[in-house]
Amino acid sequence: LHGLGDDLPLHEVADHLAGHRLGLAQFEVHRTDKGPTRAYSFSAVGTFKPRDRFARTLAALRLEPLQSVDASAYWQVYVAGRTDLPTTSVAAHVERYLALPPEEQRTHFAIREGEVLVGTVRLLPGTITGFSMDPAHADDAAAAIIRALDLLRTQGSAAVTASFDEAYGGAFESLGF
C-alpha cells in the first residue's frame, strides 16, 4: 500500500461500500444496526504493548477454544453481557452453536479467569465478534480484548475489525478502535 497516499476509495478495497473512504493513516469506523464495527491496525513496529493498567488482569485472563461441554455456560455469559440480542434464550444459542460445522465451532473462544468462564468472543481471520463479558467482570473487557488481539496477531492479522455491543464501546475505544 506504499505510495497510494493516505486514503483509498473503499470500492477498491474488498468487502467495503463504494463511495466511502478508508483512511490508511486513520482507523476505519463503520456502524451497523447491531452496534459499532471498528478497525484496529497494529503499529508498523510490529509490537502491541498494552497499557500497564491491564498487566494484572492480563496475567489472570486466558482464551480457550470453546468445548461443547461448556456451551451452556458460554451462552449464559454471552446473553448476560449483551443488550443487542434478538433472543435471550440460552437454549436457542446453544442449539445454533451445536448445529454449526466443527470448523465454525472452533472460532468461538471462552475467556477464563482461573477456571471461571468470564467472557465470550468469536475470532475470525482479522475479526473480533461475539464479544461479551459476564456483568460481574465487565471491568476486565479491555484486557480480554487485548488477549483476543494477541491471538489474532499470532495468527498473522496485521489489522483487526471488531463488531461489538455498544456496552463495550469504551473498552474498544480505550485500545484504539
Side-chain angles (χ1 to χ4, degrees):
L1 297 176
H2 295 291
L4 294 176
D6 289 334
D7 294 326
L8 280 175
L10 285 181
H11 70 278
E12 294 179 13
V13 180
D15 300 323
H16 289 79
L17 301 172
H20 292 78
R21 297 190 73 74
L22 167 65
L24 297 179
Q26 300 282 326
F27 297 120
E28 176 185 15
V29 177
H30 289 278
R31 293 190 68 79
T32 67
D33 59 350
K34 292 188 177 183
T37 300
R38 300 193 181 153
Y40 177 87
S41 295
F42 293 98
S43 70
V45 177
T47 58
F48 177 67
K49 298 197 183 211
R51 298 184 182 120
D52 290 337
R53 67 184 170 124
F54 301 120
R56 184 173 302 151
T57 307
L58 275 170
L61 293 179
R62 68 184 190 283
L63 262 62
E64 295 180 349
L66 176 60
Q67 302 296 313
S68 295
V69 296
D70 293 327
S72 183
Y74 178 95
W75 293 107
Q76 286 173 352
V77 168
Y78 178 78
V79 167
R82 300 288 293 230
T83 61
D84 62 345
L85 300 175
T87 180
T88 57
S89 167
V90 172
H93 288 286
V94 170
E95 286 176 24
R96 271 187 249 146
Y97 167 75
L98 294 174
L100 292 173
E103 61 275 5
E104 286 187 50
Q105 287 183 8
R106 286 190 287 272
T107 64
H108 292 268
F109 289 82
I111 302 164
R112 293 190 180 275
E113 184 173 3
E115 295 305 311
V116 179
L117 197 153
V118 298
T120 70
V121 67
R122 185 171 185 200
L123 300 177
L124 302 167
T127 304
I128 296 173
T129 189
F131 183 83
S132 185
M133 294 295 290
D134 181 312
H137 294 272
D139 290 345
D140 297 338
I145 295 164
I146 291 169
R147 282 285 178 230
L149 286 169
D150 286 346
L151 183 56
L152 289 171
R153 178 66 178 216
T154 63
Q155 294 172 346
S157 295
V160 174
T161 300
S163 297
F164 48 87
D165 186 301
E166 289 185 8
Y168 303 107
F172 278 90
E173 288 171 7
S174 75
L175 297 172
F177 279 85

